[in-house]
Amino acid sequence: MSNLNTCVAGDQTPAIRRRHGLVLAGINALYVGFGMVMGVVNGGLPTVMRAQGIDISTAGWLYLLYLPFGLTFLWAPLIDRVRLPFLSRRVGWIVSMQLLAVLGLVVVAFNEGAAPLALFALGFAIVVAIATMDIALDALAVRLVAPDWRSTASATKLAALAGGSMIGGGVFIALAGDLGWQTTFLILGAVLVLLVCPVLVLGKQEGLAEDIRDTGNVQAGASLLRLLRDRSSCIRLVLLTVACCIMFPLVGLNRLMLVDIGVPVAEIGWIVGTLGPVSMLATSAASVALMRYLGLVHAMLVFACLAFGALVAMVIGYHLESHLIAIVGAVAIGAGVSGIYVALATKILGWAAGDQPATDYAAYYGISRFASTLMTVAATQIVPLVTWGLFYGAGAIALIVTVLFLFTLLGKND
């Protein structure tokens, strides 16, 4: 493929490093904003509502706001097929969707007393815009990041998401009551506007990276079916989806468990909402070195051991009602699963480096995310029947099975 990814392997000249530094800065600024929205949806709203007395099964339905992140594969072909009449192909989509999300946040800010269904609809629209921006951003990363830089790109993406999550899932929880509804959402919108600015300088680089085929019949024929007809791609997709359905509910519900054993919401916001992303930042730094010196598979095994230990800690913390042990487990499980997913994301960047990067990336990332979101919602309905101890105990066993799946997936040199 005749794009910038055809740089000679191992080429680490100052010009190449500067170019990739610029690319990663622009891309990761937007991943920070994406992480902020994810933090609010995944860690903020359910935790606050659970603390206000809403039962687990009802609070669990708020995770449906996460669904658009997993449904982008349905409209991702449009990003490959259609070029908006401004900026470059994917940067145009990124900017327009980010600004649409900001507009939605402004509307929400001035409608605090609106009906819950109306607010849910506004929230859903904002998430759809951010999710569409994200898949265009992922396609841009596939185009601009050379093979030798994929592990670094995956690790820095995790760091950016962690930073955003720290704001959305930590600071949001801790300060929402003090700042007030309107101020909180206006600040969130203003930050998203600032974070879109660095990507504006990448339009020229994307233009240089595009193939002649990008404006031809291949782009016009972008389709999810093209990926699903390929046997190897289907096997990857199935294994990835199974792994995410096992891992993500174990991470997504840990704050609800902390509320149930009596940990104050402010403490969850400041400690878990801050240390969780900090541990992910440490994971992003460690994963690059581990993948370089141990390889993807063995690096994944290291993080799998960390995740298993975290699940054991959460089981012990729940049964002993020990806030400290449970919090340590809640923080560590995020780091362990994040490390596993850095290895997966490195693979996905390679798998999607074809003629329809937005479509292929959305399929791998979106379908697995969609299925794991439904599994997370289902888990909130199951936990009241089986207790948190049994849930995380079974999760520890399931993690072992997951590692075997991922060992098969990452062990292939494809």
Side-chain angles (χ1 to χ4, degrees), residues 136-342:
L137 182 61
D138 291 330
L140 183 66
V142 169
R143 274 289 185 261
L144 296 185
V145 177
D148 281 358
W149 285 76
R150 285 173 184 160
S151 60
T152 301
S154 298
T156 55
K157 175 181 178 178
L158 173 63
L161 291 174
S165 178
M166 187 185 302
I167 298 171
V171 177
F172 176 85
I173 297 176
L175 296 183
D178 296 328
L179 293 176
W181 175 280
Q182 186 178 109
T183 302
T184 298
F185 282 100
L186 288 178
I187 290 175
L188 182 59
V191 173
L192 291 185
V193 171
L194 292 175
L195 292 175
V196 80
C197 295
V199 82
L200 296 174
V201 303
L202 299 184
K204 182 178 179 180
Q205 295 217 28
E206 184 189 0
L208 293 173
E210 284 189 341
D211 294 330
I212 295 176
R213 291 175 297 175
D214 282 355
T215 54
N217 293 328
V218 174
Q219 286 291 316
S223 165
L224 180 63
L225 293 177
R226 289 181 57 195
L227 180 140
L228 297 179
R229 282 195 292 262
D230 182 75
R231 183 175 180 274
S232 296
S233 297
C234 285
I235 292 174
R236 296 167 183 162
L237 183 58
V238 170
L239 292 177
L240 181 63
T241 301
V242 170
C244 290
C245 284
I246 294 172
M247 292 189 300
F248 288 171
L250 299 175
V251 177
L253 303 183
N254 55 13
R255 299 187 188 199
L256 299 184
M257 182 270 289
L258 294 177
V259 171
D260 283 358
I261 65 171
V263 181
V265 172
E267 191 172 324
I268 294 173
W270 283 120
I271 298 179
V272 180
T274 301
L275 290 183
V278 166
S279 72
M280 291 168 64
L281 288 172
T283 297
S284 69
S287 61
V288 175
L290 288 174
M291 287 188 290
R292 181 177 299 146
Y293 295 110
L294 300 180
L296 288 178
V297 173
H298 291 94
M300 178 199 71
L301 292 176
V302 171
F303 288 114
C305 291
L306 174 60
F308 183 84
L311 290 170
V312 173
M314 283 194 287
V315 171
I316 295 173
Y318 172 75
H319 282 295
L320 297 180
E321 296 187 358
S322 169
H323 292 190
L324 177 61
I325 296 175
I327 288 174
V328 168
V331 170
I333 185 64
V337 169
S338 296
I340 295 171
Y341 205 76
V342 167

Side-chain angles (χ1 to χ4, degrees), residues 28-44 66 69 98 130 133-134 137 157-170 188 192 195 277 280:
N28 286 320
L30 283 162
Y31 282 134
V32 170
F34 179 68
M36 287 170 56
V37 176
M38 286 180 63
V40 170
V41 172
N42 193 42
Y66 201 74
F69 295 131
Q98 185 89 342
I130 285 292
M133 182 285 298
D134 175 56
L137 182 61
K157 175 181 178 178
L158 173 63
L161 291 174
S165 178
M166 187 185 302
I167 298 171
L188 182 59
L192 291 185
L195 292 175
M280 291 168 64

